[in-house]
Amino acid sequence: MSDILLDVKNLKKYFNTPGGVLHAVDDVSFSLERGKTLGVVGESGCGKSTTGRAILRLHEPTSGEVFFEGRDITKVSSQEMRRLRSQMQIIFQDPFASLNPRKTVSEIIGEPLRLYKVHKNKKEQQDHVLQLMELVGLSERLVNTYPHELDGGRRQRIGIARALAMRPKFIVCDEPVSALDVSIQAQILNLLKQLQHDLGLTYIFITHDLSVVNYFSDEIMVMYLGKVVEHASAQQLFEHPTHPYTKALLSAIPVPRLWEKKKRILLKGEITSPIDPKPGCRFAPRCEYAKPECFERTPELKENEKGHFTACHFSEEF
């Protein structure tokens, strides 16, 4: 069995708008090993959430290939995709908006079990639901409560339990802690880590918080306006960033020690429109190192050192 669970090649997702074609995800490629976590970071609107949803075909890709266990799932029928979705799940950003307010905790977690007809009777299904609740740290006494009666942390645990119901191999975590209090964030992150260890899960972890992604990820992919600008192991990226945008993001991480001074890189200039973008580097108008070539030719994602990829014409000069 191959160690590669997910292999994404030249994935694109465009949206038609009154102003033109929005290039939300533009030629994204990467591979993800079983049991590993790929962190996807970037500012709002960079296409990271759309990438995750296009991989799961919640948004139908415009073009490209997504190989899950060696099979291109962009070409399978909707009926076959429904079967495959039991192995590919998503944890949404807003735990309240993603839960049906008319259903109890038991009904929400048990919904996938009912749809896929996993159990012969309600007693077996209820026992399975209680096992899932225990797995994610939800008390059995909450089984008949409704989402509005619970806090954000418990709601997100419901979403995690629902995602785990069909014992998936791969989960897209779409900013799963950004809507939670800081203390609750740590609890949910530790839970996800423990579940990955115990169940052998593979994650794509989407976030805008670089401190979180450093703690949680094996590899990190930085996106800017639909493009991957840097991809490396978490250690490589934090110790030796090679793209100017990545350096600016890392400079914005707060320093906990008041006596330690850190140079902040402030980005200036106009943000390139992702609607019908012209050739060239999309970060060039905000890059202090930009040269005429940057505005004329789109940089390719190249491997500058083993396992470290950068989309910049002059990254080796920095």
Side-chain angles (χ1 to χ4, degrees):
M1 184 182 290
S2 171
D3 286 339
I4 301 298
L5 179 73
L6 187 73
D7 193 12
V8 178
K9 296 182 178 180
N10 309 113
L11 182 67
K12 297 180 181 181
K13 178 57 186 176
Y14 299 164
F15 295 96
N16 292 320
T17 72
V21 179
L22 173 65
H23 292 222
V25 178
D26 210 349
D27 204 24
V28 169
S29 300
F30 63 87
S31 297
L32 181 57
E33 292 183 19
R34 296 175 188 274
K36 300 292 186 181
T37 299
L38 172 68
V40 183
V41 298
E43 57 195 282
S44 297
C46 72
K48 53 189 186 294
S49 291
T50 306
T51 298
R53 292 172 185 239
I55 288 169
L56 298 176
R57 283 182 61 185
L58 297 178
H59 293 318
E60 285 293 337
T62 302
S63 65
E65 299 170 311
V66 179
F67 291 92
F68 180 73
E69 294 191 316
R71 185 179 185 185
D72 186 1
I73 63 173
T74 63
K75 294 181 171 61
V76 303
S77 65
S78 56
Q79 184 177 1
E80 182 63 16
M81 191 63 213
R82 183 178 183 272
R83 187 187 69 79
L84 284 169
R85 282 212 176 96
S86 66
Q87 300 299 306
M88 311 168 70
Q89 289 293 307
I90 184 169
I91 300 168
F92 294 97
Q93 177 179 0
D94 187 343
F96 190 62
S98 65
L99 303 177
N100 188 334
R102 293 188 175 91
K103 291 184 180 292
T104 63
V105 171
S106 174
E107 290 170 332
I108 291 169
I109 297 174
E111 187 74 0
L113 303 174
R114 183 184 67 80
L115 288 173
Y116 283 91
K117 300 178 181 178
V118 174
H119 300 293
K120 298 177 182 178
N121 54 59
K122 289 185 177 180
K123 175 67 169 59
E124 286 185 6
Q125 178 175 309
Q126 189 67 8
D127 289 343
H128 192 168
V129 168
L130 292 175
Q131 290 173 9
L132 289 165
M133 289 179 66
E134 183 180 1
L135 186 65
V136 300
L138 283 170
S139 173
E140 185 178 332
R141 66 182 174 80
L142 301 175
V143 70
N144 290 319
T145 56
Y146 290 87
H148 72 270
E149 300 176 283
L150 303 172
D151 60 31
R154 289 192 177 93
R155 290 173 193 157
Q156 195 59 291
R157 289 175 191 266
I158 297 169
I160 294 169
R162 179 178 60 186
L164 294 174
M166 296 303 297
R167 299 180 181 176
K169 298 174 182 176
F170 167 62
I171 299 178
V172 173
C173 304
D174 187 7
E175 301 202 46
V177 297
S178 63
L180 306 177
D181 292 339
V182 174
S183 60
I184 305 299
Q185 285 184 15
Q187 294 175 21
I188 297 299
L189 288 171
N190 289 332
L191 171 63
L192 290 171
K193 269 232 178 230
Q194 188 63 47
L195 290 170
Q196 183 176 40
H197 177 267
D198 295 344
L199 305 177
L201 298 170
T202 304
Y203 292 143
I204 285 181
F205 190 85
I206 297 166
T207 182
H208 59 268
D209 190 330
L210 279 158
S211 300
V212 168
V213 83
N214 184 33
Y215 163 76
F216 200 79
S217 305
D218 299 292
E219 296 183 11
I220 298 175
M221 188 168 75
V222 182
M223 294 187 67
Y224 184 80
L225 293 181
K227 287 281 192 181
V228 177
V229 296
E230 191 163 357
H231 185 177
S233 70
Q235 183 177 357
Q236 283 178 314
L237 192 100
F238 273 76
E239 290 182 357
H240 182 52
T242 55
H243 195 282
Y245 178 61
T246 307
K247 292 180 180 181
L249 288 180
L250 293 176
S251 77
I253 299 176
V255 178
R257 294 169 291 277
L258 295 177
W259 61 87
E260 184 177 324
K261 293 186 178 181
K262 185 177 181 181
K263 182 183 177 183
R264 177 73 188 274
I265 300 174
L266 298 176
L267 296 178
K268 301 176 182 178
E270 192 71 26
I271 298 176
T272 303
S273 173
I275 296 177
D276 298 324
K278 298 176 182 177
C281 177
R282 295 181 189 177
F283 184 64
R286 304 174 75 189
C287 180
E288 60 179 313
Y289 307 105
K291 299 179 181 180
E293 184 180 352
C294 300
F295 295 90
E296 299 165 1
R297 186 165 60 89
T298 303
E300 296 180 5
L301 192 67
K302 297 185 295 186
E303 190 173 17
N304 293 335
E305 55 183 289
K306 186 172 176 58
H308 196 151
F309 299 82
T310 310
C312 178
H313 294 306
F314 307 104
S315 60
E316 296 178 2
E317 297 181 11
F318 305 142

